Amino acid sequence: MATVLDRTDQPATRARDAVSPSPADTRLSLIGLNREELAAALHDAGVREKQIRMRVGQVWNAIYHRGHTSFDDVTTLAKDCRADFAKRFSLERPKIVTEQVSSDGTRKWLIRLPSNNPRAPSLEVEAVYIPEANRGTLCISSQVGCTLNCTFCHTGTQKLVHNLTSGEIIAQILIARDTLGEWPIGPSASKSRPAPQENRLITNIVLMGMGEPLYNFDNVKQAMAIASDGDGLSVSKRRITLSTSGVVPEIARVGDEIGVMLAISLHAVNNPTRDLLVPINKKYPLEELLDACRNFPGVSNARRITFEYVMLKGVNDSLKDAKDLVRLLKGIPAKINLIPFNAWPGAPYECSDWEQIEKFAEIINRAGYASPIRTPRGRDIMAACGQLKSASEKIRASQVAS
Ligand code: SAH
Ligand code: SF4
């Protein structure tokens, strides 16, 4: 049963459901299970105790190293074992509803997650791939919608909220690798090691899609453990960044338990403005947020925290704001990312003028922060930061009407 939350509900922190390609398919999806859960599933399927470790390794390799979607292709398993597993287990992905490709090469997938919840028979989530000269970043979602209501963010206006399971988070990476053709097939298929980092299309992962990852902590943690596992997807934790609006009590756990890089959606340099833009600030004000950053486990000049700052005309973009920003971050190993506001239909803000962004950036630059402006990507397909919002809301609206 999938977990669906109203915006008024407290988000559940755990929803360890499985991924399945359709509600009619009752097989257990193995995507997103950790090794212990995988072992338990194989045990239930009658695999003998002596063989479990080996079978877990074979299945793990099939899913995360080879990218197999069907047991027919898992030739490391004996034929009868393949047939037996295929009856009980699924390696299929959730369905891609649409794939859009931007003129700049950015790709956006709308993915349908089936659910058994009659209030929301299917949910949709978006993932975005951004190719650059020397890297490729996959931006994934942690929730459908978001319970927080940042006033400049399109996702925050979506009513329906669902915590993605570990499998649903991982499936976004598998789908991206499927469509980008990034599995070791052909002559390299016999090699047991994952593709080297430098030849990869997806070199980086950012949890900057839909949702607040720290309100879905356990599933995000398990998914990132799988994404960084050296026997499979093997994306280094140094190349995974989790972005939070500032859920202060969970921040230290990102360093201690997940071990990925941290980004903070700062967006304002004083409490009144931040209260307006990022309302969670009323609960965890700037002072507490910055303290959590100062004390972030493992933070150093080599492992800086990224501070995101969306440029909103006349709201947070004065040159005094820029100077205050530099002052505020003093002593914290930081990178600053200025994000030109990405407008969406009905948005109550405008992007700052380019000239103003450049002046703002110059102050940041002079304080020693390199190249702070983030180039907007995929604007023509509404794939940019904060523009992701699925059609799930419409599904619910039509249900209410019927
Ligand atoms: N919920 C998390 C992660 C998802 S949002 C968070 O808030 O950090 C990813 C980033 O996009 C955040 O920095 C967010 O503030 C920013 N963002 C949201 N809407 C935006 C918009 N319309 N234009 C530019 N950036 C936006
Ligand atoms: Fe949620 Fe992040 Fe959007 Fe705020 S910016 S509403 S926390 S997704």
Side-chain angles (χ1 to χ4, degrees):
M1 175 80 73
T3 311
V4 178
L5 310 162
D6 274 319
R7 293 180 64 76
T8 47
D9 291 342
Q10 269 301 94
T13 51
R14 210 174 178 87
R16 194 54 58 75
D17 310 331
V19 174
S20 81
S22 85
D25 188 346
T26 53
R27 293 174 304 164
L28 174 69
S29 169
L30 300 183
I31 296 171
L33 302 188
N34 61 27
R35 285 190 172 80
E36 293 71 42
E37 290 166 338
L38 203 48
L42 298 188
H43 173 85
D44 291 348
V47 175
R48 276 181 287 136
E49 216 50 52
K50 271 203 317 219
Q51 291 197 325
I52 284 196
R53 230 184 111 102
M54 180 183 67
R55 294 277 179 259
V56 165
Q58 288 166 323
V59 171
W60 191 274
N61 183 272
I63 303 174
Y64 301 116
H65 178 56
R66 309 278 167 146
H68 289 315
T69 57
S70 158
F71 280 103
D72 293 346
D73 302 323
V74 187
T75 48
T76 46
L77 296 173
K79 263 197 174 151
D80 50 346
C81 180
R82 275 180 246 166
D84 188 36
F85 282 6
K87 275 189 224 136
R88 297 165 177 273
F89 304 130
S90 160
L91 305 178
E92 285 171 40
R93 324 305 194 205
K95 236 185 148 76
I96 301 174
V97 183
T98 53
E99 181 187 20
Q100 288 173 280
V101 184
S102 159
S103 53
D104 69 12
T106 300
R107 283 166 190 254
K108 180 171 83 170
W109 297 277
L110 179 64
I111 299 164
R112 181 163 297 150
L113 310 170
S115 88
N116 299 322
N117 189 315
R119 283 169 63 202
S122 80
L123 297 158
E124 285 163 0
V125 77
E126 293 187 315
V128 174
Y129 174 68
I130 306 149
E132 288 172 276
N134 52 358
R135 62 168 158 190
T137 304
L138 182 67
C139 176
I140 58 174
S141 296
S142 55
Q143 297 184 309
V144 172
C146 185
T147 51
L148 301 172
N149 298 70
C150 303
T151 45
F152 53 88
C153 174
H154 206 197
T155 307
T157 66
Q158 184 162 335
K159 289 197 184 71
L160 199 59
V161 181
H162 159 74
N163 275 340
L164 297 196
T165 64
S166 157
E168 289 166 345
I169 297 168
I170 284 293
Q172 296 170 70
I173 307 174
L174 303 186
I175 282 176
R177 291 198 89 179
D178 291 345
T179 36
L180 294 169
E182 208 192 1
W183 295 111
I185 46 171
S188 63
S190 60
K191 294 183 189 152
S192 62
R193 290 201 58 74
Q197 203 80 270
E198 60 270 20
N199 297 334
R200 292 197 173 185
L201 295 171
I202 300 169
T203 57
N204 293 57
I205 293 175
V206 293
L207 280 149
M208 292 188 187
M210 296 162 71
E212 170 49 59
L214 297 190
Y215 274 160
N216 188 14
F217 193 94
D218 291 346
N219 293 324
V220 165
K221 175 180 166 181
Q222 176 151 331
M224 293 309 101
I226 294 171
S228 57
D229 188 290
D231 289 333
L233 295 166
S234 198
V235 179
S236 149
K237 286 187 175 178
R238 298 290 300 267
R239 290 170 178 266
I240 300 177
T241 303
L242 180 154
S243 174
T244 178
S245 57
V247 185
V248 168
E250 307 291 342
I251 286 180
R253 294 180 67 203
V254 174
D256 284 334
E257 297 180 34
I258 310 183
V260 297
M261 306 298 279
L262 179 69
I264 301 284
S265 293
L266 192 67
H267 307 319
V269 290
N270 56 64
N271 282 319
T273 312
R274 196 161 192 272
D275 285 349
L276 177 78
L277 298 177
V278 189
I280 197 177
N281 193 69
K282 292 184 210 151
K283 202 166 179 186
Y284 308 115
L286 268 175
E287 300 71 30
E288 290 181 24
L289 177 60
L290 294 172
D291 266 350
C293 292
R294 257 176 229 112
N295 299 322
F296 185 64
V299 68
S300 69
N301 283 337
R303 290 174 72 92
R304 289 168 193 263
I305 297 171
T306 302
F307 289 87
E308 298 156 279
Y309 196 96
V310 63
M311 299 298 295
L312 303 169
K313 189 175 184 169
V315 177
N316 64 356
D317 65 347
S318 74
L319 301 189
K320 178 179 181 307
D321 287 328
K323 288 176 198 152
D324 287 349
L325 178 57
V326 170
R327 209 170 302 135
L328 215 55
L329 299 185
K330 211 162 175 220
I332 304 177
K335 286 189 251 182
I336 299 176
N337 238 316
L338 302 179
I339 317 174
F341 172 60
N342 294 304
W344 35 273
Y349 300 104
E350 277 179 76
C351 182
S352 307
D353 294 331
W354 195 251
E355 227 175 67
Q356 187 67 12
I357 298 180
E358 285 191 329
K359 281 190 204 152
F360 196 104
E362 204 183 305
I363 293 173
I364 309 284
N365 256 322
R366 265 193 267 129
Y369 298 96
S371 49
I373 307 175
R374 189 191 295 172
T375 324
R377 298 290 303 269
R379 274 192 161 171
D380 52 341
I381 56 167
M382 291 274 287
C385 252
Q387 288 187 322
L388 305 185
K389 184 184 172 188
S390 77
S392 297
E393 190 173 21
K394 287 186 209 133
I395 294 167
R396 192 164 85 149
S398 63
Q399 275 188 334
V400 170
S402 63

